[in-house]
Amino acid sequence: MLTHAKPVAAVTGALVLAASLTACGGSSAASDEKVVTVYSADGLKGEAGDGWYDKVFEDFEKQTGIKVEYVEGGSGEMVQRALREKSNTQADVLVTLPPFIQQAGSKGLLQKYAPQGADRVDGADKAADGTWTSVVNNYFGFVHNKKELPEAPKSWEELLDARYKDRIQYSTPGVAGDGTAVLIKAMHDFGGQAPAMEYLKKLQANNVGPSSSTSKLAPKVDKGELLVANGDVQMNFAQSKSMPNLGIWFPAKGNGRPTTFALPYAAGLVNKAPHAENGRKLLDFLLSEGAQREVSAVGGGFPARKDVEPTDANAVELAKLLEGVEVFEPDWADIDANLTAYVDAWKSATGS
């Protein structure tokens, strides 16, 4: 089975080098450097330098004197990069979305470390073996252009209409976390792999084509180049502050309830990290109460710590977005084990 029927309390693009790497791999000199290298899925760093990462990295450097070297890309791309560097480790901290964080763990890329505050994170949002912990909770979703499409589509089936010809795009499953999420949600909503692939085959008639970056789709929707694209609540909510035509919505199957699932940013300490102690300090900082209180106010996301309940304007607006939306919990073990098969089935169905 793909999903469990229990709710949870609690996303992704082409490789973008946001800062040049200066960390060395594994030398004793490297361990003394006042630097920590982060490989992360995109979404938490603001395009205008106003994202959650921008704020917490700046605060962390001021408090510790440790400089954050940041590399950003799709969830799958970040894991693959870390895997290629396994014999000469460059990253200290890996932040990525499910199922790629589980994949990183199963491939031996992470070492055990429970950051301070991890005991306040829900059990479903951290690894049982202690290799990763969610730092920002999030949900999968779609965006639409509010100017050209004032009322969001309600169902998957509506997207098959001819009006969406070459006006829909979703990021690539297996490369982008949010692209993989399209498969996960479709298989849940349509009741299995076969009917989901049958639908996605039909949708291909309207689909512009693959995109390795989810974050690059929202600007296209905002400008009206696309009417609909996939995304995630945190990233799209943050983008909507500078992209006024973005609206967030959740497709339903037929006349059913709209659905979504938690897609948290999960962080782990990289195995054989060249600056492991600095990595531990950063993970502690990301889960600190202060940083968690800024997740909604600054980053447009949901705190990972269940004891942090923000009341800022963003938090109120985010809660409203999820009203009436059914939240399901994917079977991440199944997805981790069968992801290649699911992606291959999608490639076959869509001719991608």
Side-chain angles (χ1 to χ4, degrees), residues 26-106:
S27 70
S28 58
S31 64
D32 297 327
E33 287 184 304
K34 299 287 279 184
V35 67
V36 60
T37 299
V38 177
Y39 282 10
S40 178
D42 54 341
L44 293 176
K45 198 173 194 303
E47 292 183 16
D50 55 357
W52 186 67
Y53 271 164
D54 300 287
K55 179 69 165 64
V56 296
F57 288 171
E58 182 181 355
D59 291 346
F60 176 72
E61 187 171 347
K62 285 179 181 177
Q63 182 173 309
T64 65
I66 299 169
K67 180 176 175 55
V68 178
E69 298 286 1
Y70 179 69
V71 180
E72 177 181 283
S75 289
E77 178 64 30
M78 290 294 90
V79 172
Q80 287 303 311
R81 179 167 179 151
L83 194 60
R84 290 194 302 269
E85 297 170 349
K86 203 171 181 181
S87 61
N88 182 29
T89 308
Q90 301 293 316
D92 301 301
V93 172
L94 178 67
V95 185
T96 187
L97 309 178
F100 298 100
I101 194 68
Q102 289 90 344
Q103 188 181 82
S106 65

Side-chain angles (χ1 to χ4, degrees), residues 120-300:
R120 305 297 181 127
V121 175
D122 190 84
D125 299 324
K126 57 188 176 184
D129 65 359
T131 53
W132 58 265
T133 307
S134 296
V135 292
V136 172
N137 279 342
N138 192 16
Y139 296 89
F140 176 63
F142 280 72
V143 287
H144 69 104
N145 180 290
K146 294 192 294 185
K147 187 176 181 180
E148 294 191 41
L149 199 65
E151 188 173 337
K154 290 184 170 58
S155 69
W156 287 103
E157 291 83 356
E158 200 173 325
L159 299 180
L160 299 177
D161 190 271
R163 72 180 298 193
Y164 295 101
K165 174 73 174 174
D166 295 329
R167 305 294 296 279
I168 291 175
Q169 193 171 19
Y170 61 89
S171 50
T172 309
V175 175
D178 289 328
T180 306
V182 172
L183 292 189
I184 294 170
K185 178 171 157 56
M187 286 191 286
H188 170 269
D189 290 0
F190 285 92
Q193 178 182 320
M197 299 309 160
E198 183 180 345
Y199 168 80
L200 292 171
K201 181 178 181 179
K202 294 177 184 176
L203 184 65
Q204 198 67 7
N206 289 344
N207 185 23
V208 172
S211 170
S212 56
S213 171
T214 311
S215 63
K216 291 180 180 177
L217 298 182
K220 294 182 180 180
V221 174
D222 182 61
K223 293 173 185 174
E225 294 174 24
L226 299 172
L227 289 178
V228 168
N230 69 314
D232 61 75
V233 173
Q234 177 278 324
M235 179 172 65
N236 295 145
F237 186 84
Q239 289 173 316
S240 70
K241 299 304 180 182
S242 60
M243 301 178 193
N245 295 321
L246 282 190
I248 297 171
W249 67 289
F250 308 92
K253 168 69 170 65
N255 295 319
R257 286 178 65 191
T259 69
T260 188
F261 62 97
L263 205 57
Y265 292 89
L269 185 65
V270 177
N271 195 22
K272 298 180 182 177
H275 314 99
E277 187 55 38
N278 295 345
R280 294 184 186 96
K281 289 177 180 178
L282 179 60
L283 289 169
D284 290 347
F285 194 84
L286 295 177
L287 267 186
S288 67
E289 188 173 344
Q292 287 289 298
R293 290 202 176 279
E294 293 177 325
V295 166
S296 57
V298 177

